[in-house]
Amino acid sequence: MVKKITLLTLCVFMNLLAYAQTSIASEDSYNGFSSRSFMKFNNFMTVPTFSLLHRETSTIEAISRSSNIDFEDASRLHILSYSGKMQSNVGAGIAVFQQEIGVFKDFGAMANYAYQINLSEKTHLTFGFNFFYSRRSLDEPRVLTNTPEPLINNYQDRPVVVFQPAATVSFGNFDVGLFFENLGDFNLKSSEFVTEFGDKTISAHAAYTYRLQNTSGLFSGTTIRGLGIGRRTKVDGFSYAATVLADLPKVGWLKVGYDKLFGLNAGFGINLNKRLSIGFTYEKQQNLSGTNEVGLIYRLGKRKSRKTGNVTVSIPDNSIKPIIDRREEEYENPEHNDLSDEIRIAQDSIDKLNKKVDEILKKLENQPTNTKTTEIIREVSPSEPTETRDQSLPRRSDRPWRETTVTERGGGGTMYYVAIEQFKSLKKAQEEVKFYNNKKSVKQYNKTHKKKVRARYVRDPKYNVYVVYIDRHGKKEEAEEQRDEINGAIKKETESDDEVGGGLGISTSSGNSSGKDRVYVMKVTLGPEGETYKVPKTQPKARVQTMSLVDGLEPGYYMQVGVFSKKPYADRLLDELESDGINAGYFINPKTGYRHVYIHKSNDRQEIIKLYNSNLNGKYYDRKNIVHVR
């Protein structure tokens, strides 16, 4: 039985080989398998520009596919590749592959390159190409014949090189483009092109990427992407394919698709850890048996710019230029980078000295100091900052952000309470505490967040009232942040029948639950006035706030430590942080004009959260938050 199947397979591929005498279609075989590896595995083989578009990390990928698994001599494909974003506007990839088709074996390698040009704020043009070499040979151990076959005996290996250019225009999250799959296909042995120009394979592709908003838990950061491809080939005519993939960064991915030539396919993937993932795909073609595909993905992470201490800042090479006052500018000679801060400080001092001398000279000449004067213009190299910092505010010599504790006054009892209600009667306060702690929503919140939240009361000696509260803080800012968080959850609960995010469901026993400022901050002082004590600095769990991407802003995750409406205050904080060796900068929000001071910027969400939790590796313990500009 096995021999009959082998002979039948051999006959089929002898016909294919006879056809290849006039038009070698080996490159079409390689192009055919790439469309089914869309997005998660070897996506640059589907369209060359996909090594750059919607890619944040570099990956090493390996797949093994077995086609028509019911047959003993089923076709097999093995690919090992490396690809990803090399710079903000450059993508690249390389792959080696081996494909067994009946009695033939294809072995080759592929190189990829993609480059992006910004046409406008949300419109980009991406060029890319694949260049690969393949050699088709006869796998003699798989040849089983009873009589000599001249076609087999005279078969010679066929080396082919193929050039595949592509172009994609991106309008925000929508991508559309063309791919010339065998524009340059050259047989190295016969020194002639494989296909005529009119027989070239051309495909058009359209893709849309959508990131789900307001998601949390397992669905946090979920992205849904769809791709449609239409292809015209000489052998098969017009064909089409479509794939939809749901990517859940914390779990894995799911995908379904259909290809006119290869049938239905479905697959899933599991993220084993932050870097390693495994995926499986099954495909069923009409009148043929199924096809299995198993793959591994290993993420190498994002490429970083040069490092200063423990703080890294990614500097894109060709992105929309943000309105950013950066105190770090790269010199072409890397040895000069460490001197840039000293040069900048010295130059600021020289500018101040020049202004002071000019002012003194005018006084000696009895000229008013407020008249418009002619400033000394000096040539500034492109690598130097274009905006001088305001030095009008005195700089602090201490480093409060290094302290792990904060000093409070008012004895051991001055605290800021996140209050629910206050009563003159002790009995009513006790009833309110009991009513609140028995609420089902509070118990559910404790179970979901794995922490104990309960109501308590304290007597305020200043106003002689009993304050019912759920938490207390040594700093007013911390209490106000928790207040705003809870009031926001209450507002959402009033707009929906379902509780939002495991809210506390705050209401009073009297039934007063308007949903507006139900929780407030109250300062209560216990013990003698004038005493001081230290309390540890605390910060809430890392949360990522979003900011819309507008003209002049660079996308990414910013660890923000201050927002200022006036430039002198932002400049003062920058100088103080830099004097402590902390790499800082700020960007200006074009909509508000406010300056957002940040101490780290990254395109990696996990990296910025890790630095937040470690207080910038022990450098900054004051309050901070994460802003995602997208």
Side-chain angles (χ1 to χ4, degrees), residues 9 63 77 85 122 153-154 192 216 299 332 356 362 395 472 485 500 542 567:
T9 305
I63 71 167
L77 170 68
K85 181 184 288 188
K122 293 185 178 181
N153 295 334
N154 298 327
E192 61 183 10
S216 60
R299 300 172 183 83
E332 292 184 0
K356 192 66 177 178
K362 290 185 178 298
R395 271 46 174 168
R472 61 181 180 179
E485 180 181 358
V500 178
K567 184 178 183 296

Side-chain angles (χ1 to χ4, degrees), residues 547-572:
M547 178 182 295
S548 299
L549 180 65
V550 296
D551 187 18
L553 288 186
E554 180 181 353
Y557 295 91
Y558 294 82
M559 188 181 297
Q560 179 178 278
V561 296
V563 181
F564 302 92
S565 61
K566 296 182 179 180
K567 184 178 183 296
Y569 294 96
D571 289 342
R572 179 177 68 174

Side-chain angles (χ1 to χ4, degrees), residues 290-420:
T291 295
N292 291 336
E293 177 183 290
V294 179
L296 286 174
I297 296 181
Y298 184 79
R299 300 172 183 83
L300 299 177
K302 299 179 177 60
R303 298 177 65 87
K304 304 289 192 306
S305 62
R306 75 174 182 91
K307 212 168 186 179
T308 304
N310 292 325
V311 181
T312 59
V313 179
S314 299
I315 303 179
D317 292 338
N318 188 32
S319 59
I320 301 174
K321 300 302 180 184
I323 306 176
I324 296 181
D325 180 15
R326 303 186 70 94
R327 76 274 149 271
E328 177 186 3
E329 296 290 339
E330 300 274 354
Y331 289 88
E332 292 184 0
N333 188 346
E335 296 180 357
H336 294 171
N337 288 335
D338 295 335
L339 302 176
S340 60
D341 289 338
E342 297 180 11
I343 295 173
R344 218 168 278 119
I345 294 173
Q347 186 60 59
D348 290 343
S349 300
I350 293 174
D351 291 341
K352 292 174 60 179
L353 181 61
N354 288 336
K355 292 181 180 179
K356 192 66 177 178
V357 171
D358 186 63
E359 187 176 299
I360 293 174
L361 291 175
K362 290 185 178 298
K363 287 183 178 181
L364 293 176
E365 297 173 1
N366 294 321
Q367 296 181 4
T369 59
N370 59 351
T371 58
K372 186 175 181 180
T373 62
T374 302
E375 295 184 353
I376 300 176
I377 304 299
R378 63 182 181 89
E379 293 185 358
V380 181
S381 65
S383 61
E384 292 184 11
T386 58
E387 187 179 53
T388 303
R389 291 188 185 170
D390 192 304
Q391 303 290 331
S392 59
L393 297 178
R395 271 46 174 168
R396 296 173 294 180
S397 59
D398 57 344
R399 302 171 178 177
W401 47 81
R402 290 275 186 172
E403 301 294 332
T404 59
T405 60
V406 62
T407 302
E408 296 290 347
R409 296 185 177 276
T414 299
M415 301 289 285
Y416 294 92
Y417 291 78
V418 182
I420 303 174

